[in-house]
Amino acid sequence: MNPKSLLTMKDLSNAEILDILNDAKAFNSSHSDWQIPVSSRKLTANLFFEPSTRTHFSFESAEYQLGLQAADLAPDSSSVTKGETLYDTCRTFESLGYGVLVIRHPQDEYFKELENVKIPIINAGDGKGNHPTQCLLDLLTMYNEFGHLDGLNVLICGDVAHSRVAASNKEALEKFGANVRFAGPKEWEREGYPFSDFDESIPWADVVIMLRIQRERGAKIDGMSDAEYLERYGLTLEREKKMKDHAIIMHPAPVNRGVEIDTNLVECERSRIFEQMKNGVLVRKAVLRRALGFAPFGRSEC
Ligand code: NCD
């Protein structure tokens, strides 16, 4: 596996995470026009085997802004339909001269099969396993808001069992000394994740992250309507009033308005949901730059 791959948050030390966040901030200000020098540009391939709007097109936007040429695999019109494995698909792109692979796949830890692929792989989500670039953009959003991560109280609520966002965020936030609690239906509790009562934890939280019900991974609550779900487990207008004055609302999106969150809260003053998307482009630019072997801004390039 290429050492510049990014598969899970475990691949990054705290210092490397901070380097990526700093690079993302630099892309937002002093380095907003920065592009990969022409001689170092590589073709990148975006291989999305699951639906995606934000992650896919923020990678595209990041690639375009960096001056990289990107190609998208449409699984339905590729040789995957003829039975080709993920490994052979990746080796094919490598043989065709592509220099970076961005992959989203429904299988947990699909990348374990790809150890012999030599070009860097950026994981854009594996099943319910990991979502490192979403985690980085979430960290950047919190960092921009509070100036630190240690000591922050972060409450993650909803379909925790099926959420790779919950998994990656737990991992990274705890490494930075944040306090992470979870809430949601009993059915979706996850081993090793500290669950709490949602209503008791709302006034405790500096950050409330709401999660969508991942129906495509089999999540369901029998006999409960959307309105009942919102009332019992969602972020309602009433619950929002119990949040600390400075507390913010986040959501990886797609949002199901009126299910896990009241539609009026999606763009309320506390919401950072669309800010997260902007930050997604910035961290993905930083991660692509790292994948191509560039040292963080402020250090000499390797
Ligand atoms: C998340 C994902 O795909 O894991 N979304 C995203 O990447 N922006 C969360 C979700 O789909 O609910």
Side-chain angles (χ1 to χ4, degrees):
M1 193 62 83
N2 188 296
K4 295 294 177 192
S5 288
L6 175 57
L7 306 174
T8 79
M9 288 307 286
K10 283 194 197 82
D11 295 344
L12 299 172
S13 66
N14 283 15
E16 286 174 305
I17 293 172
L18 290 175
D19 281 342
I20 291 173
L21 301 188
N22 282 328
D23 280 4
K25 284 175 148 205
F27 274 126
N28 199 30
S29 50
S30 51
H31 289 74
S32 55
D33 293 337
W34 191 90
Q35 293 205 322
I36 304 282
V38 174
S39 58
S40 302
R41 288 185 189 174
K42 298 268 168 68
L43 288 166
T44 71
N46 302 321
L47 316 183
F48 280 72
F49 295 89
E50 267 190 3
S52 172
T53 302
R54 263 150 300 275
T55 306
H56 190 161
F57 291 96
S58 65
F59 268 109
E60 292 247 351
S61 176
E63 288 151 353
Y64 176 78
Q65 290 181 39
L66 290 174
L68 299 172
Q69 188 88 34
D72 291 300
L73 176 84
D76 290 349
S77 54
S78 75
S79 290
V80 172
T81 58
K82 301 178 187 169
E84 188 164 60
T85 63
L86 176 62
Y87 173 73
D88 288 335
T89 303
C90 292
R91 290 283 290 116
T92 300
F93 276 98
E94 192 170 43
S95 308
L96 297 178
Y98 285 77
V100 181
L101 299 174
V102 176
I103 306 177
R104 168 172 287 193
H105 198 279
Q107 189 187 313
D108 287 8
E109 300 190 320
Y110 66 78
F111 42 80
K112 290 207 162 145
E113 290 170 21
L114 305 179
E115 269 165 20
N116 292 334
V117 176
K118 295 195 179 55
I119 55 177
I121 295 172
I122 302 174
N123 180 13
D126 62 290
K128 56 184 180 345
N130 305 271
H131 199 346
T133 58
Q134 176 70 41
C135 175
L136 288 165
L137 76 88
D138 288 346
L139 297 183
L140 180 62
T141 306
M142 293 181 222
Y143 200 80
N144 284 346
E145 189 73 33
F146 299 103
H148 63 96
L149 298 171
D150 62 300
L152 274 188
N153 292 343
V154 181
L155 175 62
I156 304 181
C157 182
D159 181 5
V160 176
H162 302 98
S163 172
R164 52 196 173 208
V165 178
S168 283
N169 273 338
K170 176 180 190 298
E171 172 129 31
L173 284 165
E174 287 178 348
K175 282 208 293 189
F176 276 98
N179 309 304
V180 190
R181 283 190 195 171
F182 297 87
K186 276 239 156 315
E187 292 88 324
W188 297 335
E189 290 191 7
R190 201 160 165 167
E191 219 190 307
Y193 287 57
F195 264 73
S196 64
D197 181 84
F198 191 31
D199 286 297
E200 280 172 21
S201 290
I202 289 258
W204 164 88
D206 301 303
V207 180
V208 176
I209 302 181
M210 299 307 298
L211 300 172
R212 179 179 65 87
I213 304 175
Q214 313 250 314
R215 298 184 206 272
E216 73 278 26
R217 287 183 227 297
K220 60 175 186 312
I221 297 203
D222 289 329
M224 197 178 284
S225 68
D226 289 350
E228 281 166 337
Y229 183 87
L230 178 67
E231 198 47 45
R232 284 190 65 180
Y233 304 110
L235 193 57
T236 55
L237 296 172
E238 242 172 65
R239 290 193 174 104
E240 184 270 336
K241 288 196 188 85
K242 296 188 182 131
M243 289 174 68
K244 283 181 193 161
D245 286 347
H246 67 254
I248 58 168
I249 298 168
M250 292 173 51
H251 190 312
V255 171
N256 288 154
R257 289 174 181 253
V259 185
E260 70 275 8
I261 184 168
D262 187 288
T263 187
N264 294 305
L265 295 177
V266 174
E267 292 175 80
C268 73
E269 219 175 297
R270 293 182 187 282
S271 170
R272 298 293 177 272
I273 297 174
F274 288 93
E275 192 63 31
Q276 285 173 267
M277 297 178 206
K278 285 191 190 163
N279 289 336
V281 178
L282 300 172
V283 298
R284 287 171 180 127
K285 283 170 82 170
V287 166
L288 283 161
R289 188 176 177 276
R290 173 183 178 273
L292 291 177
F294 288 86
F297 289 127
R299 293 203 210 159
S300 59
E301 289 171 8
C302 47

